[in-house]
Amino acid sequence: MYPEVLNDAIASFEKIPGVGKKSAERYALSILDLSEEDIDSFANNLKQCKKKLTRCIICGHLTDKEVCPICSDSSRKENLICVVEDYKSVFMFEKSGSFEGKYHVLNGLISPMDGIFPEDINISSLLERLKGKEKNSEVILALKPSIEGETTTLYIKKIFENKKIKVSRLSYGIPMGVDIDYLDSITLDRALLDRKEIS
């Protein structure tokens, strides 16, 4: 139906998660209305994202610097660390604007069935970050309520059992199986305020 070059553009847009055939067609057709300058800028922005975005050497969050702006912000609480599955969750918490601590991005969850073990995710650097900071420190586990999230939560809780570090989790006003990055900021705020210490 479409010329081959347009089909290729549609296929490219379909590679984006959440973009179906109809949306991909609409995006590809809308490109035809853009100026050549806008298209060059659009393509360059995508290339720069791929080229320059990397992981923060401290927390594992997405950044275009060696250390992300959150880790380098001295006004944020060093002894309050929110542990999340991926960088999308950090963006969600930051949109809510109520969290004053710092983050630690695991970049995955423990899932032995999928061949993902504790050493495959960013847990060892969390231990490094908290060395010598045990006093008055709190780790908030903000992982999705799923089997993988629960397994990871219990594993991290066990690691900190004898380290005098308070370990809490978000309250369960969060529906089972939902990803943190799909929650609205009010639900997320409430879950953060109502967090419970893991016993």
Side-chain angles (χ1 to χ4, degrees), residues 8-94:
D8 289 345
I10 291 167
S12 293
F13 279 114
E14 279 186 284
K15 289 178 181 175
I16 300 168
V19 176
K21 183 82 174 166
K22 284 187 187 266
S23 294
E25 286 176 2
R26 197 168 63 248
Y27 295 158
L29 288 167
S30 69
I31 283 176
L32 303 176
D33 297 327
L34 296 175
S35 68
E36 202 161 323
E37 189 180 86
D38 284 340
I39 289 172
D40 286 343
S41 174
F42 181 67
N44 185 55
N45 289 339
L46 292 177
K47 282 181 184 173
Q48 291 303 309
C49 279
K50 189 67 180 170
K51 186 178 172 183
K52 292 188 174 178
L53 289 176
T54 184
R55 304 278 180 199
C56 171
I57 60 167
I58 297 172
C59 72
H61 183 39
L62 204 60
T63 181
D64 56 358
K65 309 251 182 334
E66 194 176 39
V67 177
C68 75
I70 298 169
C71 283
S72 55
D73 185 349
S74 58
S75 70
R76 298 184 78 126
K77 295 176 181 174
E78 289 278 350
N79 60 344
L80 183 64
I81 296 178
C82 184
V83 177
V84 295
E85 178 184 354
D86 55 33
Y87 59 82
K88 290 179 279 188
S89 300
V90 175
F91 291 131
M92 280 305 299
F93 276 107
E94 286 303 287

